Each structure stands twice: as C-alpha cells, then as structure tokens.
Amino acid sequence: MDKPEKNWMNKWGILLWGILHVAIIALGLNASPWKIDSNLFSVLPPSQVSAGLGDADAELSRRTMGQMTVLVGHTDFEKAKAAADEFDRALRGNGQLEKVSYLVSDSSMDEARAFAREYRYALQSEAFMDRVRQGGGAFLKQNALEKIYGGFSMASLENLDEDPFLLSAQAFEDVLGNLSFMSKNVELRDERLVLRDSLRTYVMWSASLVPGASTFGGDGSALQAMEQKISELKGLDSALVVATTGVPFHSYESSSRAQLEVAVISGVSIVLLLLLILSTYRSAVPLALTLFSIGVAIVSALSVSWTLFGSIHIFTFVFGTSVIGVSIDYAIHFFTGWKIREERLDGGGVRGLIFKGLALGFMTTELSYLALTFAPFPLLRQMAVFSMAGLASSFLTITLLFAALPAAKTRAPAGFALGAVSRVLDGYGTILAGLKMKRWASLAVVAVIVVGVAVGVYRVQWGTDLKSLYTMSPERLVQEKLAMELLDFGSSGSYFLVKGSSVQEVLEREHAFCKRLERERTDGVLQNYLAISRFIPPRSVQQGNFEILSRAMDSVSVAEMHRELGLRSDSAFRASMGQGLKVLEPEGRFPANFEKLLNSLWIGRIGDSYYSAVMPLHVQDAAKLSGLAGDGIYFMDKVNQINENLTRLSLTALALVGMAFVLVLVVLLLIYGFAGASSIMRIPVCASCLAVALFGYLDIPFNFFATVGIILTLGIGIDYSLFFKEGRGSPLTVLAIALSALTTILSFGSLSFSGFSPVSTFGLSVFLGILFNFILSPFAGSRGK
C-alpha cells in the first residue's frame, strides 16, 4: 500500500472516529440533567413475586425508604428543645424534604379532634365496642361522665349537645391520640414529641425525602445540610447527643465513604499505573495518549448510559473500572509494538500486527457484556451497557485514531523488561517440556490441581447474605442502636401484603386476618402489629358499630343525659343520629399525622387490585409468621427474598455468559480449529475455577458481586490467551500481556481494600481471576521460534 493511499485511509479513519464520538457525546449532553443514583438499596434486584405483588411491594418501599427520624437529646430538656428548634428552622424550607413533622400544635390537635368528631361512630376501637356490647347504655353514660368530671381527662366539651356520650373524645383517645407516637415510649411535652432514657430527654423530628432526592455524599443534598447542622449544634454544646435513623442516612454514609475510598484508591492506583507506563516506554507520548483513550472511553460510556437510563448508579462506576483496565490493555499492546519493537513501524503497521488479536479480544469481551444485558436486573444491564460503550470507544481510538501516528522517533530501552520476560518464558518452556517427557508427572500434577480446586469449590459458601453486604461505621451503629432502643418500634423487617379486588374486600380480608394475629399475639408469637383496619374498619364493621351504639344510646334517656349535663335540648343529637353513619374510607382526607401512618399501611390500587400492608411488631417467633399467609394474604420476608433473588440472579448471569462463551467458541473454532480454540478457552475457565476455589479456602462467601467479578474474569481474561496465541509467545507480546495484567491487577486489586463489602468482594474476585489468567496464559500457545 503506497503512502498516499495510507494517508487517505488514516484521514477517513480519523473522520469516522470524530463523527461517532461527537454524536455519542451530543446524545449524552442532550440527556442532561445527569443524575447519579447513590441509593444503597438500588443495588438490589426487583422482587420476583407476581407482577401485582411486586409492584405493590415496590410502591410500599418507595414510600418508606425516604423516611428519616432525628432525635436531639440533652440532660436539660430546655437545651434539647432549643437545639431541636434550631435544627427544624434550618431544615424547614429545604425543597428536598417533605412531610416534616415536629411541632404538635394546637391547630393540629384541633384538626385531629374535628376529624374524630366527624367520624366518631366509625373510629371506635374493637376493645371499646366489646365493653359497649357488655355494658350497653349504662356503660356509655358512665364512661362519658368519667371523661367530663374526671381529673385527668383531656376531652373537649365543646360539642356536648351533639355528642353527649363523648364518642368523639373516645375515638380521639383510642385511635388518633397515639397515631403520631407509634411507640409506647413517646410522650407529648411542650407541643413536641419526646422520649427519655435514664440520662437524657430526646426531642423527635421526622421528615421524608421527596421522590428522586439525592442521597449522594457532598453534593449539596438535604442530608448534607442535616449532617452539617448536627455537627454545628454538637460543636456548640458537647453534652448534646443526636441520633439519626432511616435508610437515607445509610445511603448518604455509604456514598460518602465510597467517594473517599474511590478517591484514595483510584489516586494511588492511577499514580502507580502512570509510573509503570512511563518507566516502560520512557516517553510522555504513550502516557498522554493512553490517558486520552481512557478519558474518551469514560465520557462515551457515561453519555450512552445517561442517554439510555437517565441516571447512573454509583456502583456502575465501580464496575466500569473494567473500562479503564481494558482501555489500558489495548493501548499497551499498541504502544509496545510502536515504541519497543526493534522494527520501527508507524501506527498503521502496528495496527496490522495486533488487529486480529485486538479484534477477537474486543469481540469476546463485548459478547460477555452483551449477555448480561439480558439479565432481569436493571443495574446489571446498566453496568454491561456502560462497559460495552467504553470498550467500543477504546477499540475505535486504537484502531482508527492511533493508527494515524507516524513511526516513533526513538525506541524505548526495554531490555531489562524483555530479559525478565524471556527468563519467565524459558521457565515455562522447561515446565512444559518436563511435563511432555513424563506423562505420569503431567497426569499427577493435573490430578492434584483438579482435586485441590474441587475441594476449594466444595468449601465455598454459595449465595448472598444481604446483612453482610453493608457494615455500618461505629458512629452510625451507635446512633442506630440508641434510636432503636428509644423508639422501640419493634419492626421485624417482614410483613404481610393483603390483596383484594376492591377497597372493602381488602379491609374485610385484613380485618379477619387481624383476628388471627390477635390469637397469635395471645400465644406470644408477636407483641403487636400495625394494620389499617385497626383504624379504618371495613364498612360492615363501621355499620355494625353504629347500630350497636344507637341501640345502647336508645336504652338510656338521652333527654335525662342532657339535663344532667346542663343542656337544654337533645335536638342536635337527634339530628346527628338522623344523618346516619358517615363511612370512613382509606382513600379519603385525613389529618396530617393520620395520613403519615396511612401512607405506610394503605398502598391502594395497583393494576386491577387493591393492596394494604400489615406490619408485625416485636416478633418473638419469626418462623410461625410465614405460615399465617392464606387466601389474599402474602408473607413478604424482604431480606430472605432479596438473598434468594441475588443468588438466582448470579446463576442467571453465569448462564448467560456461558451462552456467550459458546458463541465465542464457535467463532474460535472457525479460526483456530478445535485444538487452538480449546487451548484459548480453557485458560479463563480454569482461572475462574481457581479464583472460586480460593474463595473457599479463604472462607469468603461467594456472593452476587463475586459472581460479577468472575464474569469480568471470563470476559477480560480471554484477551490474554488470544494475544499469547497470536503473538506465538514472543517476548514482546508477553511483555505487553504482563503490563496489561499488571495494570488490571492494580485497578481491581486496590478495590479489594474498600470498606464497602460489595466493592471489596468484586475487586478481590477480579484480582484473583486476572492473576490466574496471566499465570496460565502461556499455556494457550507455544513460544515462537
């Protein structure tokens, strides 16, 4: 090919590269605003239950995941109150917060009393109605007189003419009076909800994040403002104790820790990588161009991901470090031929030498990622797309842009490195020769390795334990323990979903189920439970209560009751009774405190059905809960279900990658034949088995994130075998493979030091897999003469 024709091809290659990348970046810019998802629980796969139940479960999670509680404590209540007031003023106008609950003012109490008065017949508790059934009108009269003349009664006497038996006050006390508390330890003091332990009084403040609000550390979020205000308040008074609880605080902490760790770990590994490249090529040009290739690949990956998904999860960035590792690999293979090779070649000449291995390696890695896009897990698909886009950009940069480089002016003096590689290859040659001469020795070594791997794999702890994936910091753990002890909600993490074809069917079904829970409560299975039917009974129960109360009131002289209370007429009462029952529905309008509870219990319509949630509290025998499910009642054990889903997803992902490897094998069979294809494919497979076995020997659970690491091992590791095969084991090729392996080992090995368990497990899995791939890669082909 003459020079003008080569220049023409180079120009077209540069133009094509530019058009593609400008188009990709333009798509990304058009997808702004760019969002980063730092929600810790977004890492988890969706529920595998039926579509309707899954949607109901997801809706309930969406409502409750954003809830937060802050407890401000001090030995002096006035100081605790002042600090809580200051905290509330600082956060009250934050646009990322909703349903802020702090002061229980007179207006809110009046709102609750008015609501109780309007629905006084519907809101009576079952315990009160049992006493009415037994005592009739005489009990109603006596109960009302005790509320009126009792020394500790808080009953309002404003509507006695309409409600002489004080059913409004009874409804308020039985139901609404404790709605805000949700805990027996909470009391009302100076219009604030407070809790106490032996040392301090704590003032409670609560709120929820608006949907879509960021929990990303250090980005000006509401959580950052809360943490800063808490630090400021504690700095002003060292005796102040603040405890925070809620999922957003955990997400904020994990993302903040991840930011710091990624900054430190990435900084150290990048410096080491730069020093390695600089010392090898003795020139800033390969270093600068390698960084350029990585930067363009990452920008391309981000643009494609944001365009397709609208947001990127922070864990995608961790998984996406494979883009950096493989981009460096491609650049190293190019610059080793361009800068170290004795025969000086321009970029096009180097591309001609490495293109087959590069193209096959790119294809096999992309196929591995492509298989993951079929996994039933949005995050895994996002990570795969991110990596595919980044690797495609890197491949195009090497083959289109760098191919236009002229020949290097000087050759790097890499004699020491090449000499070391030659000695290693000679050692491999001796081992291989010895194994060929002594078949019994070869079989013995293989048998020992197989048995060792089998034992290690047998020892592996398969499956994912959600509790092991996140470890709270000591400070966070102390706060959580304090908050849980004070609030004493007693939530077990598992609950029931109640399904029905209508609102009333759900309430009827739940009401019947609650009677069963009452029996289990008597037997000690649980201490309490929350259910919407305890506050809003089915219409049939409300109507029955109304009729029972009407008969009870008719059995006593209402006129005499009015005269005893000093009222002139019972006409207002008669007019009220004449209007009949005003039915209370769960989808009506409620006081703010009541609505907050309803939001956690009444899910409403999902598709063609309606759903509610029943929350067992202080469960003593968790094993018996699942057996309580029945017709329209579904037991939801989130932790175990997520663990099972992650384990199932791991197997699905491995199966998909296995299918991709079958396709790769077919391609390699056409190019290299059976012997050549099997020698290439066996290396990443054996390396993966060795990595899994080592997890068993180290007693490290092999969870979903370790599985993702093995998938990368299969995708990236095959490149080493391909390059070794294509280079026929030449020292120059092995030097490039060694540098590639070192850069990848540094990138992923550093992640194993992360304090975030999913990241460290992922990093360790890739580190071991790539290390074994590099060690075994010479067995993919014989050394060239």
Side-chain angles (χ1 to χ4, degrees):
M1 182 183 297
D2 55 22
K3 192 171 183 179
E5 185 177 354
K6 182 181 292 188
N7 288 337
W8 179 83
M9 290 186 62
N10 288 339
K11 289 179 181 178
W12 275 104
I14 295 172
L15 180 62
L16 178 59
W17 179 91
I19 292 173
L20 289 173
H21 281 83
V22 167
I24 289 171
I25 294 173
L27 284 174
L29 292 174
N30 189 56
S32 63
W34 294 355
K35 297 179 181 178
I36 297 177
D37 182 5
S38 60
N39 188 344
L40 179 66
F41 292 88
S42 296
V43 177
L44 306 176
S47 175
Q48 294 298 306
V49 295
S50 64
L53 284 177
D55 292 341
D57 180 53
E59 174 62 20
L60 183 63
S61 297
R62 184 192 67 78
R63 295 181 187 181
T64 56
M65 285 295 181
Q67 295 177 359
M68 302 171 290
T69 300
V70 179
L71 303 175
V72 182
H74 202 284
T75 53
D76 185 340
F77 169 68
E78 293 300 325
K79 291 183 178 180
K81 184 175 72 170
D85 288 349
E86 178 62 26
F87 181 83
D88 180 64
R89 281 193 294 269
L91 276 298
R92 176 66 63 167
N94 194 296
Q96 295 184 21
L97 297 176
E98 64 178 2
K99 300 174 183 174
V100 177
S101 178
Y102 179 52
L103 293 178
V104 184
S105 62
D106 289 339
S107 61
S108 63
M109 297 289 280
D110 290 342
E111 181 187 18
R113 288 193 178 95
F115 179 76
R117 183 171 63 252
E118 184 177 4
Y119 293 101
R120 58 186 176 276
Y121 301 115
L123 287 171
Q124 299 303 324
S125 68
E126 193 159 331
F128 178 76
M129 291 306 303
D130 285 341
R131 297 175 69 185
V132 173
R133 291 186 186 93
Q134 296 173 8
F139 165 74
L140 278 181
K141 180 178 179 180
Q142 183 63 31
N143 186 66
L145 293 175
E146 288 177 359
K147 290 184 182 301
I148 295 171
Y149 299 113
F152 300 99
S153 176
M154 295 178 60
S156 172
L157 306 181
E158 293 181 359
N159 300 97
L160 276 178
D161 56 341
E162 181 181 311
D163 182 21
F165 294 97
L166 272 68
L167 295 177
S168 302
Q170 185 65 46
F172 181 83
E173 291 177 10
D174 285 352
V175 183
L176 301 178
N178 293 317
L179 285 178
S180 300
F181 303 159
M182 305 259 311
S183 169
K184 60 185 179 182
N185 296 334
V186 182
E187 60 186 76
L188 187 63
R189 182 176 177 183
D190 288 0
E191 298 186 336
R192 291 157 182 82
L193 299 177
V194 300
L195 306 96
R196 300 180 185 181
D197 61 16
S198 59
L199 297 175
R200 303 176 186 87
T201 301
Y202 298 83
V203 181
M204 184 163 66
W205 182 96
S206 63
S208 296
L209 285 178
V210 299
S214 173
T215 57
F216 195 65
D219 65 348
S221 67
L223 286 158
Q224 183 186 43
M226 295 170 74
E227 293 288 347
Q228 289 176 346
K229 193 61 184 179
I230 290 171
S231 297
E232 177 187 327
L233 292 171
K234 292 170 71 175
L236 294 174
D237 188 345
S238 59
L240 194 71
V241 174
V242 180
T244 58
T245 183
V247 171
F249 289 111
H250 294 280
S251 294
Y252 179 80
E253 180 185 73
S254 63
S255 64
S256 299
R257 285 166 54 188
Q259 280 183 289
L260 179 60
E261 288 178 352
V262 168
V264 174
I265 292 173
S266 300
V268 172
S269 60
I270 287 174
V271 169
L272 293 175
L273 292 174
L274 296 181
L275 291 175
L276 177 64
I277 294 173
L278 192 60
S279 62
T280 301
Y281 299 116
R282 308 293 179 87
S283 171
V285 174
L287 177 60
L289 291 177
T290 298
L291 291 176
F292 172 79
S293 173
I294 293 171
V296 172
I298 292 175
V299 171
S300 299
L302 289 171
S303 297
V304 171
S305 300
W306 263 310
T307 300
L308 295 179
F309 300 102
S311 65
I312 296 181
H313 196 279
I314 191 171
F315 195 75
T316 299
F317 287 104
V318 178
F319 185 90
T321 51
S322 63
V323 173
I324 298 176
V326 180
S327 295
I328 293 177
D329 290 354
Y330 291 172
I332 283 174
H333 282 285
F334 179 87
F335 288 117
T336 299
W338 184 73
K339 191 69 176 173
I340 298 178
R341 189 179 179 85
E342 292 185 11
E343 178 189 355
R344 293 180 60 193
L345 298 173
D346 60 11
V350 175
R351 179 181 61 185
L353 288 176
I354 67 171
F355 183 79
K356 183 179 178 182
L358 202 68
L360 287 173
F362 169 71
M363 179 200 69
T364 54
T365 305
E366 291 285 86
L367 279 175
S368 297
Y369 287 133
L370 180 63
L372 296 182
T373 62
F374 294 95
F377 185 13
L379 180 59
L380 197 56
R381 292 198 295 268
Q382 185 184 104
M383 293 189 294
V385 168
F386 183 95
S387 300
M388 289 176 66
L391 295 187
S393 172
S394 181
F395 178 76
L396 292 175
T397 299
I398 300 296
T399 56
L400 295 181
L401 199 61
F402 289 2
L405 290 173
K409 294 182 179 180
T410 58
R411 178 175 171 267
F416 173 78
L418 287 174
V421 167
S422 294
R423 286 190 292 274
V424 171
L425 290 177
D426 287 338
Y428 266 105
T430 302
I431 294 173
L432 291 172
L435 292 176
K436 288 179 181 177
M437 288 186 297
K438 300 177 181 180
R439 184 172 180 80
W440 65 269
S442 175
L443 293 175
V445 170
V446 171
V448 169
I449 293 174
V450 169
V451 171
V453 170
V455 172
V457 172
Y458 176 78
R459 288 170 53 92
V460 166
Q461 304 170 44
W462 299 98
T464 301
D465 183 3
L466 185 61
K467 296 177 182 178
S468 69
L469 297 182
Y470 170 59
T471 303
M472 286 183 275
S473 66
E475 182 181 358
R476 167 60 48 200
L477 183 60
V478 169
Q479 290 193 42
E480 281 291 331
K481 284 184 175 179
L482 176 59
M484 292 301 101
E485 289 173 0
L486 290 168
L487 294 169
D488 194 29
F489 287 160
S491 176
S492 64
S494 56
Y495 53 92
F496 296 90
L497 286 180
V498 182
K499 178 182 178 181
S501 59
S502 66
V503 171
Q504 289 305 314
E505 184 177 15
V506 171
L507 292 177
E508 291 282 0
R509 186 166 283 165
E510 186 187 283
H511 183 71
F513 179 63
C514 287
K515 291 184 180 298
R516 186 173 181 184
L517 285 180
E518 285 293 340
R519 293 195 294 271
E520 300 297 337
R521 184 179 176 182
T522 303
D523 293 340
V525 175
L526 69 163
Q527 291 185 16
N528 212 335
Y529 60 92
L530 285 173
I532 194 170
S533 60
R534 296 185 70 177
F535 307 106
I536 306 177
R539 183 178 300 173
S540 60
V541 173
Q542 295 182 43
Q543 185 64 44
N545 289 347
F546 177 74
E547 293 172 359
I548 292 171
L549 290 169
S550 298
R551 288 195 297 270
M553 288 184 288
D554 284 342
S555 67
V556 297
S557 173
V558 177
E560 182 181 340
M561 183 72 174
H562 274 73
R563 285 194 299 272
E564 190 170 340
L565 296 176
L567 302 175
R568 295 182 179 179
S569 170
D570 64 353
S571 59
F573 168 76
R574 297 298 180 188
S576 171
M577 291 296 295
Q579 294 175 2
L581 171 70
K582 187 167 186 179
V583 177
L584 180 62
E585 299 280 358
E587 297 184 347
R589 294 184 63 184
F590 303 93
N593 291 331
F594 197 8
E595 190 172 11
K596 187 175 181 180
L597 175 62
L598 279 178
N599 200 45
S600 301
L601 298 176
W602 179 254
I603 302 172
R605 183 169 184 170
I606 303 290
D608 296 329
S609 301
Y610 292 82
Y611 297 87
S612 69
V614 177
M615 309 288 182
L617 303 177
H618 297 286
V619 176
Q620 307 299 314
D621 190 349
K624 288 188 177 181
L625 285 182
S626 61
L628 301 179
D631 183 30
I633 309 293
Y634 304 90
F635 180 66
M636 308 297 290
D637 188 349
K638 292 285 289 186
V639 173
N640 286 334
Q641 287 172 357
I642 290 172
N643 289 343
E644 292 173 1
N645 291 343
L646 284 172
T647 301
R648 188 185 304 112
L649 185 61
S650 300
L651 298 175
T652 301
L654 282 176
L656 290 170
V657 173
M659 293 170 60
F661 256 54
V662 172
L663 295 176
V664 171
L665 179 61
V666 171
V667 175
L668 295 181
L669 284 172
L670 297 176
I671 298 174
Y672 296 109
F674 179 78
S678 61
S679 68
I680 293 171
M681 296 291 288
R682 69 189 177 193
I683 302 304
V685 173
C686 290
S688 299
C689 292
L690 286 169
V692 173
L694 196 53
F695 265 77
Y697 285 116
L698 295 174
D699 289 326
I700 300 175
F702 198 82
N703 56 33
F704 166 76
F705 299 96
T707 302
V708 174
I710 291 300
I711 291 170
L712 274 186
T713 295
L714 295 170
I716 297 174
I718 197 172
D719 293 358
Y720 301 159
S721 301
L722 282 166
F723 279 111
F724 200 98
K725 189 77 174 178
E726 283 299 307
R728 300 186 179 280
S730 70
L732 199 64
T733 300
V734 178
L735 174 61
I737 294 174
L739 290 173
S740 299
L742 281 174
T743 56
T744 306
I745 286 170
L746 281 173
S747 297
F748 289 98
S750 59
L751 293 178
S752 63
F753 294 100
S754 171
F756 189 33
S757 179
V759 174
S760 61
T761 303
F762 169 72
L764 179 63
S765 177
V766 179
F767 166 76
L768 293 175
I770 296 301
L771 179 63
F772 288 131
N773 260 302
F774 173 63
I775 294 172
L776 297 175
S777 60
F779 291 93
S782 59
R783 185 180 174 184
K785 301 296 183 184

